[in-house]
Amino acid sequence: MTEIKDKLCQTPMIARMPANCTLVKRSPQSVTPDETMVKSMSKLLRTIQENKHEVLNDTGDEIDIDSYVNAKLSGHGDCYTETKQTKGISIYISVDGSGSMDNGTSMDNARTLVASLFRVSKDFKEIEIRGDVWSSNYQGDVGITEINSLEDCKYLTTKTTGNGYTNVYYETPTHEAIKYAAKRASEGFYTHKLLIIITDGYPQYTKKGYQIPHTTLIKMAQKNFKKALQIVPNIMCVSISGSSGADHLLKEIFTSKRLVSFNNMMQARDFIEKDMKRRLVEVLKQ
């Protein structure tokens, strides 16, 4: 199954790219995983789960002698052992790459967070990490950069390469980001899937020089979000705008149940680390 999955993943991305979306290159930035976060999460995972563990049942691979004796004495009980593969989780992180993410250290912290999760996943096969960074230009083209490895994390930036009017991707097409990220998240290897969308402001989208009104963008995003929930039920939006106005619009899209708000990316990063630990414990203990 792993070999089949690897072959499927080699399909050119352009084949499943929506018409108004395009893969873009972004200017690389240095990135270093947060070793404190990596050690903390790794320590937790090692204590709750090994890659494989044995369970007792009535049709296993081998007989457990102690269990067999106890079953004979008590008249009931399973005595066969079977090696059981641990369940895993596929996590997809979609990061807003609009110009406003350059304010302060928002993108720097997002880059460190994603890199740290990739670093943890290298030692634990039960965790699959993937993601993207997205934004749009003034013609309505959505520029997406895929993040599929620790090495790719250096491209978690707002600046795209190339010159010219059509190569400036500084707007926030939230409605398109939801649709694209949900589709990619649904392709995750494991049954348990989590989609995290990180954004810092108002949905903003211009098509052929015409700026789409917020009311229209909200409706478009709501429609795509409802469709997204049908294929990835576990979706969380993390707002780092620090603006009540932006949070109000995002609540209309994601609902208050699925939106968490912070004043900056550093606070959000701490929350995501804690929430990620909780979710991993829930999944890997099953």
Side-chain angles (χ1 to χ4, degrees), residues 95 107 110-111 114 132-133 147 152-158:
V95 182
M107 188 56 81
R111 193 183 309 118
V114 178
D132 63 48
V133 53
I147 309 297
D152 289 344
C153 290
K154 64 185 178 184
Y155 298 115
L156 269 164
T157 69
T158 61

Side-chain angles (χ1 to χ4, degrees), residues 214-254:
H214 279 145
T215 52
T216 303
L217 289 177
I218 294 299
K219 291 179 181 178
M220 294 168 70
Q222 287 173 334
K223 181 180 179 180
N224 286 343
F225 180 62
K226 289 179 181 179
K227 290 181 178 180
L229 287 174
Q230 295 175 6
I231 57 175
V232 185
N234 203 359
I235 301 176
M236 176 173 62
C237 176
V238 178
S239 169
I240 57 171
S241 65
S243 164
S244 58
D247 286 349
H248 176 73
L249 292 180
L250 291 174
K251 279 183 181 180
E252 289 190 43
I253 299 171
F254 296 98

Side-chain angles (χ1 to χ4, degrees), residues 74-143:
S74 63
H76 62 85
D78 296 326
C79 58
Y80 289 93
T81 61
E82 178 184 14
T83 301
K84 182 179 179 181
Q85 186 72 33
T86 298
K87 292 184 179 181
I89 182 171
S90 295
I91 301 170
Y92 195 91
I93 304 180
S94 185
V95 182
D96 177 357
S98 62
S100 57
M101 284 289 285
D102 262 341
N103 295 333
T105 58
S106 294
M107 188 56 81
D108 293 336
N109 280 304
R111 193 183 309 118
T112 300
L113 167 68
V114 178
S116 300
L117 293 175
F118 268 109
R119 177 66 184 81
V120 173
S121 69
K122 287 182 64 177
D123 298 327
F124 295 90
K125 294 182 179 179
E126 302 91 349
I127 306 171
E128 179 188 29
I129 304 291
R130 292 176 303 142
D132 63 48
V133 53
W134 47 271
S135 52
S136 61
N137 63 16
Y138 302 117
Q139 293 299 306
D141 303 315
V142 180

Side-chain angles (χ1 to χ4, degrees), residues 4-275:
I4 293 173
K5 175 178 176 291
D6 290 341
K7 291 291 184 182
L8 290 174
C9 288
Q10 292 173 10
T11 304
M13 188 61 195
I14 195 68
R16 57 172 182 262
M17 187 73 68
N20 65 328
C21 295
T22 183
L23 289 177
V24 297
K25 294 183 178 180
R26 296 177 184 261
S27 301
Q29 298 289 323
S30 61
V31 57
T32 303
D34 183 340
E35 289 301 324
T36 301
M37 176 180 174
V38 171
K39 289 179 181 178
S40 175
M41 294 191 72
S42 297
K43 181 179 180 181
L44 173 67
L45 292 173
R46 287 193 182 96
T47 59
I48 64 171
Q49 193 69 58
E50 293 182 356
N51 189 40
K52 295 181 179 180
H53 63 278
E54 290 186 341
V55 294
L56 290 175
N57 60 29
D58 57 351
T59 58
D61 304 318
E62 298 178 356
I63 292 180
D64 181 82
I65 300 301
D66 292 336
S67 299
Y68 177 78
V69 172
N70 289 333
K72 282 294 184 181
L73 292 174
S74 63
H76 62 85
D78 296 326
C79 58
Y80 289 93
T81 61
E82 178 184 14
T83 301
K84 182 179 179 181
Q85 186 72 33
T86 298
K87 292 184 179 181
I89 182 171
S90 295
I91 301 170
Y92 195 91
I93 304 180
S94 185
V95 182
D96 177 357
S98 62
S100 57
M101 284 289 285
D102 262 341
N103 295 333
T105 58
S106 294
M107 188 56 81
D108 293 336
N109 280 304
R111 193 183 309 118
T112 300
L113 167 68
V114 178
S116 300
L117 293 175
F118 268 109
R119 177 66 184 81
V120 173
S121 69
K122 287 182 64 177
D123 298 327
F124 295 90
K125 294 182 179 179
E126 302 91 349
I127 306 171
E128 179 188 29
I129 304 291
R130 292 176 303 142
D132 63 48
V133 53
W134 47 271
S135 52
S136 61
N137 63 16
Y138 302 117
Q139 293 299 306
D141 303 315
V142 180
I144 296 174
T145 305
E146 292 253 311
I147 309 297
N148 294 313
S149 67
L150 178 58
E151 177 68 17
D152 289 344
C153 290
K154 64 185 178 184
Y155 298 115
L156 269 164
T157 69
T158 61
K159 296 180 176 62
T160 53
T161 59
N163 299 314
Y165 186 75
T166 58
N167 287 316
V168 178
Y169 294 82
Y170 272 177
E171 294 201 326
T172 315
T174 310
H175 61 296
E176 293 291 351
I178 294 170
K179 180 168 63 176
Y180 183 83
K183 184 178 186 305
R184 293 289 286 123
S186 69
E187 297 168 355
F189 183 73
Y190 293 110
T191 302
H192 294 280
K193 296 176 176 62
L194 170 64
L195 169 58
I196 300 175
I197 299 175
I198 300 174
T199 182
D200 76 332
Y202 295 85
Q204 186 182 29
Y205 186 62
T206 301
K207 190 166 186 179
K208 295 182 179 180
Y210 173 72
Q211 190 166 33
I212 309 297
H214 279 145
T215 52
T216 303
L217 289 177
I218 294 299
K219 291 179 181 178
M220 294 168 70
Q222 287 173 334
K223 181 180 179 180
N224 286 343
F225 180 62
K226 289 179 181 179
K227 290 181 178 180
L229 287 174
Q230 295 175 6
I231 57 175
V232 185
N234 203 359
I235 301 176
M236 176 173 62
C237 176
V238 178
S239 169
I240 57 171
S241 65
S243 164
S244 58
D247 286 349
H248 176 73
L249 292 180
L250 291 174
K251 279 183 181 180
E252 289 190 43
I253 299 171
F254 296 98
T255 72
S256 56
K257 177 183 177 181
R258 297 180 182 273
L259 176 71
V260 287
S261 304
F262 301 95
N263 291 324
N264 54 62
M265 186 60 212
M266 179 60 79
Q267 293 178 355
R269 184 173 134 189
D270 292 340
F271 166 79
I272 292 174
E273 178 185 353
K274 293 177 182 177
D275 184 71

